[in-house]
Amino acid sequence: MLHRQESAGLVVITQPTHSWVAGCIARVWGNEQFGLFVPREEVCLGAEQHDIGWVVWETAPTLNTKTGYPYNFMELPTAIHTNIWSGAKHLALPFGRYATLLVSLHGTGLFERFRNWQKTLESSRLVQAYLDQEYAFQEQLIANLEQDSYYAAYATPENIQRNRSLVAIWDTLSLALCMGLDESRHFHHIPTALGETTITLTPVGNDIIKVSPWVFHQDKVTLVYEGRLLEDKFTNEILMRQTLNNAK
């Protein structure tokens, strides 16, 4: 769950909604400078479903008693967080192997990059167990794709790494857009047709964001997503969930 503070209260956005926005970005991504990606539909699906592991938790989010709001995705205890990501591959697999590989790689990439979980020995143990499990799954899945007459061409280390990087940047851009921009932000190591570059997102008013350089194959991109407004804080988890279900 994402939090976006507004004057009327806290807007909460589910992880599946944010993930869907990432998928929307993927579907309009690419031009002469930024190139294409293959297999296109599977990569778009992987972007769209990269947070599929959160689906069950989002149906009954837990209350952070320290804030009075549902936990946001950065606050969850390590045990819950690793459990969510451990289950993601099982939820994704019915959609297809290549998309599932990208979902799994995205999860391990998050834990590899962000080291807050190293605060205690127990959290470190939980994360390492999750990583070991996912690495083994990824190795097996890649080997399976390499034996596939269609997917073998897309299962090369170079292609997988490019697609993994794209899902990560689409995730980051979606987070920035969903949580709101009040000043320019720079995003580095963006894959292009010939290498990497930096892009800048700048708010220019009326929910309009300028993107430079332009990364899309359309002249204009419109994104619409849902959030729910919480006007009060909570001490009761059941009441919080009921309020969420009825929020607009």
Side-chain angles (χ1 to χ4, degrees), residues 218-237:
Q218 296 178 187
D219 294 335
K220 178 182 179 181
V221 176
T222 300
L223 296 172
V224 179
Y225 56 91
E226 293 188 3
R228 289 172 288 177
L229 177 65
L230 295 178
E231 299 177 286
D232 300 301
K233 295 185 177 183
F234 301 88
T235 57
N236 183 287
E237 188 170 79

Side-chain angles (χ1 to χ4, degrees), residues 62-208:
T62 48
L63 176 65
N64 185 344
T65 56
K66 294 181 180 179
T67 66
Y69 292 121
Y71 277 103
N72 72 40
F73 71 101
M74 295 180 290
E75 298 169 341
L76 273 179
T78 302
I80 298 176
H81 213 163
T82 52
N83 186 58
I84 286 171
W85 277 104
S86 293
K89 58 184 175 292
H90 304 298
L91 294 172
L93 201 53
F95 289 96
R97 292 168 294 166
Y98 203 92
T100 300
L101 175 62
L102 294 177
V103 170
S104 178
L105 288 169
H106 185 71
T108 54
L110 292 175
F111 283 98
E112 289 164 352
R113 292 194 299 274
F114 303 108
R115 298 292 178 171
N116 287 340
W117 49 266
Q118 292 182 326
K119 290 180 179 178
T120 68
L121 288 175
E122 177 59 16
S123 63
S124 293
R125 185 192 67 78
L126 288 170
V127 171
Q128 193 58 57
Y130 157 75
L131 290 173
D132 291 343
Q133 178 188 67
E134 292 300 305
Y135 292 152
F137 172 77
Q138 292 162 12
E139 183 177 350
Q140 182 180 29
L141 193 53
I142 291 171
N144 186 282
L145 290 167
E146 288 174 336
Q147 299 302 313
D148 188 286
S149 59
Y150 177 76
Y151 285 112
Y154 310 128
T156 64
E158 296 78 14
N159 208 1
I160 291 172
Q161 182 56 46
R162 175 177 169 80
N163 291 334
R164 179 184 192 179
S165 297
L166 285 170
V167 172
I169 189 58
W170 297 331
D171 170 51
T172 302
L173 292 176
S174 175
L175 286 173
L177 294 170
C178 289
M179 297 174 72
L181 285 170
D182 53 15
E183 62 182 5
S184 294
R185 283 191 59 186
H186 306 288
F187 301 87
H188 307 289
H189 306 297
I190 309 300
T192 67
L194 299 176
E196 293 184 343
T197 191
T198 296
I199 64 173
T200 301
L201 270 59
T202 304
V204 294
N206 297 320
D207 294 323
I208 298 174

